[in-house]
Amino acid sequence: MDKSKRKELLEQYKEVKTFFGVVCIKNTVNGKIFLNGYPNLKNKWSTIQSQLDMGQFPNAPLLADWKAHGKDAFTFEVLEEKSTEDVSDVAFEVKMMLKSWLQKLEPFDDKGYNTRKSDAAL
């Protein structure tokens, strides 16, 4: 690839907007939900599905239900998203956004896969 083409592609890449936000994974069999925030939502559902399929997702109860019920028993929804443009601390913004949704939906115990310990860490 010549230098001018490479430079053009790099400029195009820089102009692609990125979004951060909070997602909800719902088990349609038992109604449990899992909330998490991510600094980049692009292709996030594909990434999460791959982690679950390979047994490498960090939430053990959700992973167990994924293995038991299969991927067709789960839905994915972006609850809130914002552009990273004009945001100086995306990690902080993601934390605050997730904290708000955890308080609102309370996905703990029988209602979800989140732990209260993860909520306290925010």
Side-chain angles (χ1 to χ4, degrees), residues 27-40:
N27 181 330
T28 59
V29 175
N30 61 21
K32 285 186 167 189
I33 61 173
F34 174 75
L35 304 182
N36 206 358
Y38 296 98
N40 187 347

Side-chain angles (χ1 to χ4, degrees), residues 24-34 45 49 52-53 62-77 113:
C24 176
I25 300 170
K26 182 175 183 179
N27 181 330
T28 59
V29 175
N30 61 21
K32 285 186 167 189
I33 61 173
F34 174 75
W45 183 224
Q49 287 180 84
L52 287 161
D53 287 340
L62 175 57
L63 182 58
D65 280 355
W66 181 271
K67 288 179 181 178
H69 303 296
K71 70 180 179 181
D72 292 336
F74 291 84
T75 61
F76 177 84
E77 177 184 4
Y113 297 102

Side-chain angles (χ1 to χ4, degrees), residues 84-103:
T84 57
E85 274 185 23
D86 303 323
V87 175
S88 60
D89 190 348
V90 172
F92 176 78
E93 294 292 330
V94 169
K95 272 187 176 183
M96 293 300 101
M97 198 181 281
L98 178 58
K99 183 176 182 177
S100 173
W101 280 101
L102 287 170
Q103 290 171 345

Side-chain angles (χ1 to χ4, degrees), residues 48-61:
I48 292 170
Q49 287 180 84
S50 294
Q51 290 174 327
L52 287 161
D53 287 340
M54 293 186 293
Q56 297 178 340
F57 195 73
N59 185 289

